[in-house]
Amino acid sequence: ENFVARPMRYTIETRDADSQTPTRIEYAWKDALDWHRLELSVAEPPEFPTPGSEAEFITEHYWGYTARRDGSTSEYRVEHPQWRVAPATSAEFCCDVAAVYGEPFAETLAVKPSSAFLAEGSAVAVYRGTRLCHS
């Protein structure tokens, strides 16, 4: 993936000052023209995902792949503890997708998602990649 640094901001709301469990999270980033944002609300505290669930499939990936300049692919290992997740009661994605990610993503990201959830996250170790051999 090609990464670009952007100004960012976030908001995390909890039920009360003593709570560590978020109820609403908003993450926003700015390009040259506008702010874009992703927001979601949750009602339940996070739990480890059910084995075989979509949330487990999405959060439990420990290998990444990226295109190399020569057209080949690199594989790299990612290490982190299992993340707890909470299903979203509402989710909103406000973004000029074509401008930010490119026209090929606009149609796909305009569709209402089949699911949305909050993953707690953690520190992540990403290891040096290795070039995959072509067969």
Side-chain angles (χ1 to χ4, degrees):
E1 293 180 21
N2 296 318
F3 294 96
V4 177
R6 298 280 188 227
M8 300 183 308
R9 65 181 183 211
Y10 68 92
T11 302
I12 299 175
E13 295 177 5
T14 58
R15 291 190 204 296
D16 55 57
D18 297 330
S19 177
Q20 293 296 311
T21 303
T23 55
R24 182 184 155 280
I25 293 184
E26 178 185 77
Y27 168 77
W29 64 102
K30 188 177 188 310
D31 61 16
L33 301 174
D34 206 0
W35 282 95
H36 309 277
R37 69 184 178 84
L38 179 62
E39 177 184 331
L40 66 85
S41 296
V42 297
E44 303 170 16
E47 298 179 347
F48 289 114
T50 304
S53 68
E54 183 180 43
E56 182 191 50
F57 176 78
I58 292 169
T59 59
E60 296 298 305
H61 276 81
Y62 297 97
W63 294 96
Y65 301 88
T66 188
R68 297 170 57 111
R69 288 189 179 120
D70 66 3
S72 65
T73 301
S74 281
E75 176 184 64
Y76 57 93
R77 187 167 65 95
V78 179
E79 187 177 276
H80 64 79
Q82 186 180 28
W83 295 337
R84 297 185 311 167
V85 299
T89 55
S90 68
E92 189 174 1
F93 181 50
C94 297
C95 178
D96 181 348
V97 173
V100 175
Y101 298 107
E103 192 61 44
F105 291 97
E107 185 177 340
T108 301
L109 293 177
V111 175
K112 182 179 178 182
S114 60
S115 68
F117 61 86
L118 173 67
E120 283 187 315
S122 67
V124 174
V126 178
Y127 295 89
R128 180 177 294 281
T130 13
R131 183 173 183 250
L132 297 178
C133 295
H134 293 284
S135 50

